[in-house]
Amino acid sequence: MRLVIDYRKCLKSGQCSYLHAELITADPDGTPRVIAERLGEDLRAAAEDAVDLCPSGAISLTEE
Ligand code: SF4
């Protein structure tokens, strides 16, 4: 499972890194960065919440 950020959609609003710092950090200019390449099942609920909270639909979860 992976989190993917579509930088064409991202508004750099910061909700994802603020509310899910265990998954996403942010560069000084606000660009979010996914911390872990692969996520374990223990982080699924948090990852799904990050997808839901993004105001621009820039975050998606893939099962690959
Ligand atoms: S919540 Fe969405 S729009 Fe805001 S910084 Fe994260 S990915 Fe970008």
Side-chain angles (χ1 to χ4, degrees):
M1 173 172 58
R2 271 190 326 129
L3 272 181
V4 178
I5 297 173
D6 184 341
Y7 291 105
R8 296 168 301 179
K9 295 181 180 177
C10 176
L11 306 171
K12 299 183 180 179
S13 59
Q15 284 103 316
C16 58
S17 56
Y18 181 75
L19 293 171
H20 286 294
E22 76 277 40
L23 300 172
I24 298 170
T25 187
D27 288 351
D29 72 351
T31 302
R33 304 290 180 193
V34 176
I35 294 171
E37 178 73 14
R38 301 275 173 197
L39 301 177
E41 281 299 320
D42 56 320
L43 289 172
R44 179 176 291 277
E48 289 176 348
D49 190 57
V51 171
D52 290 343
L53 67 78
C54 176
S56 62
I59 305 175
S60 58
L61 191 59
T62 72
E63 298 298 331
E64 57 184 65

